[in-house]
């Protein structure tokens, strides 16, 4: 749990072990951001909710994921309709 910087120059000047720094820099070459989509914020929220329902309420995993999927799809569709985006074509 070390504090990190998004600024690569600043990150390289942090007191990391040089071996660890090299490994992290290699990983950065493969890192990709999650694509931004309309309503995408909803996906993470409902995946977290599904996890919490499984852990705290004992909901079966399949039920939690199916519920989350229905809600995610509904929100994505609403956002697409609101902004006139039709991705199904």
């Amino acid at each position: 749990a070390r504090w990190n910087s998004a600024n690569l120059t600043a990150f390289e000047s942090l007191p990391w072990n040089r071996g660890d720094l090299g490994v992290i820099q290699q990983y950065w070459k493969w890192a990709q951001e999650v694509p931004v989509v309309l309503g995408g914020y909803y996906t993470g929220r409902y995946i977290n909710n599904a996890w919490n329902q499984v852990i705290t309420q004992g909901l079966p995993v399949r039920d939690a994921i199916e519920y989350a999927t229905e809600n995610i799809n509904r929100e994505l569709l609403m956002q697409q309709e609101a902004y006139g985006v039709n991705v199904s074509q």
Side-chain angles (χ1 to χ4, degrees):
R2 291 181 138 205
W3 182 256
N4 196 354
S5 173
N7 179 306
L8 298 181
T9 303
F11 176 77
E12 291 172 354
S13 69
L14 293 172
W16 286 87
N17 169 297
R18 291 295 133 193
D20 293 345
L21 177 62
V23 170
I24 293 168
Q25 288 171 322
Q26 287 297 314
Y27 279 120
W28 277 342
K29 293 179 182 179
W30 297 98
Q32 293 183 2
E33 291 189 45
V34 175
V36 177
V37 297
L38 292 172
Y41 62 91
Y42 219 70
T43 301
R45 178 185 304 166
Y46 265 85
I47 294 299
N48 284 336
N49 289 350
W51 168 262
N52 289 335
Q53 289 172 328
V54 169
I55 298 302
T56 62
Q57 300 170 15
L59 190 66
V61 174
R62 183 177 188 106
D63 293 346
I65 294 297
E66 286 180 357
Y67 176 75
T69 301
E70 289 173 9
N71 282 288
I72 292 166
N73 289 340
R74 182 173 35 253
E75 178 66 17
L76 294 178
L77 182 60
M78 284 183 357
Q79 292 293 325
Q80 291 165 7
E81 289 173 353
Y83 287 94
V85 176
N86 188 351
V87 296
S88 62
Q89 293 181 346

